[in-house]
Amino acid sequence: MVRVLAVADEVVEQLWTSYIQQIEVDLILAAGDLPYDYLEHLSNALDRPCVFVPGNHDPDLTGYTNVRGLWTKSGIPTRWPGPAGGVNADGRVVDAAGLRIAGIGGSIRYNRGPNQWTERQQARRVRRMARLAGWRHLRDGRGVDVLLTHSPPKDCGDRDDPPHRGFACLHDAVRRLEPPLMLHGHIHPHGEPTPDRQLASTRVVNVVGYHVMEIPSRGQEAKNAR
């Protein structure tokens, strides 16, 4: 079991205090729309890695490349605007703290801001990420433990207003990856309960604010199956 601090969208003032020292986790998973200095603080205070996807209010992180610690964009050395030490899982498959995480950031397009995608664009990104996960599975037999997204799937905890509609293509991501757990943000509860939802065998959790949870790793299953 991997103990995880999952955060999204709302800065929790309590986590800026010494209370953070009472939380014992192996990994931080961030589902977007949080200040990057907040993510850096959590990672430093807990001395644990942070894997994140960007939200629609986060800076555009596309086009940046890290080669031996040097960040470049379009071949020009630059400063990466993301959180220091954080791992951007957007469109990628990342292994961290014993978990395999597939990430898809951003929201449905509703204006010209960064990290916004049409349904068609996001579907292409989902297919590309699913292929990466499939190649990794063929190589080592491991499936995805967590699908980490900013937006929820359509009709699965989303809202009717244009900025907060979910992506239909995330249903396809769940079908293809079959992750036991999907974590998302973007939908603020505003005092309303946010019960977990189920898509086939995948539990869908809104982690706005923060949640501490234990997640089983499928890596051991793959190892035992060999």
Side-chain angles (χ1 to χ4, degrees):
M1 301 293 286
V2 180
R3 193 167 171 84
V4 166
L5 171 64
V7 294
D9 289 82
E10 297 177 1
V11 172
V12 179
E13 292 186 8
Q14 191 177 28
L15 298 186
W16 280 111
T17 71
S18 59
Y19 173 80
I20 190 69
Q21 304 298 333
Q22 302 178 35
I23 298 177
E24 295 183 4
V25 295
D26 305 299
L27 177 67
I28 301 162
L29 294 178
D33 279 356
L34 285 170
Y36 288 152
D37 59 350
Y38 179 68
L39 298 185
E40 292 173 5
H41 159 73
L42 296 178
S43 185
N44 291 333
L46 295 171
D47 192 25
R48 292 295 183 266
C50 176
V51 176
F52 72 98
V53 292
N56 53 297
H57 295 297
D58 289 325
D60 183 5
L61 299 179
T62 59
Y64 289 86
T65 303
N66 188 325
V67 179
R68 298 176 184 175
L70 175 65
W71 285 101
T72 61
K73 186 171 186 178
S74 301
I76 301 173
T78 187
R79 180 185 180 277
W80 188 51
V87 178
N88 183 5
D90 187 24
R92 301 176 58 204
V93 179
V94 173
D95 292 338
L99 294 179
R100 176 156 292 176
I101 303 123
I104 287 288
S107 76
I108 199 79
R109 180 173 291 282
Y110 61 93
N111 61 26
R112 296 182 180 275
N115 306 314
Q116 296 179 26
W117 309 94
T118 66
E119 179 68 45
R120 188 173 181 177
Q121 289 171 331
Q122 191 75 305
R124 283 198 298 266
R125 284 164 32 86
V126 163
R127 289 193 295 269
R128 189 181 307 118
M129 180 269 292
R131 286 195 297 269
L132 291 174
W135 294 333
R136 298 280 286 274
H137 184 268
L138 286 174
R139 187 175 66 187
D140 60 17
R142 285 194 58 185
V144 169
D145 298 298
V146 180
L147 176 57
L148 180 66
T149 71
H150 180 60
S151 293
K154 183 176 174 56
D155 300 325
C156 187
D158 59 347
R159 297 286 188 265
D160 293 331
D161 60 304
H164 295 101
R165 294 198 312 270
F167 284 107
C169 60
L170 291 178
H171 289 266
D172 186 55
V174 168
R175 180 184 61 80
R176 296 180 65 170
L177 301 178
E178 298 182 328
L181 186 65
M182 176 180 180
L183 306 179
H184 72 84
H186 193 50
I187 307 301
H188 295 256
H190 299 302
E192 298 179 2
T194 55
D196 296 350
R197 291 166 172 83
Q198 200 75 24
L199 288 179
S201 60
T202 299
R203 180 164 63 105
V204 181
V205 183
N206 182 338
V207 296
V208 168
Y210 84 100
H211 288 61
V212 176
M213 59 185 70
E214 292 187 341
I215 304 174
S217 169
R218 298 166 81 178
Q220 189 62 40
E221 296 176 10
K223 182 178 179 181
N224 292 339
R226 293 177 186 174

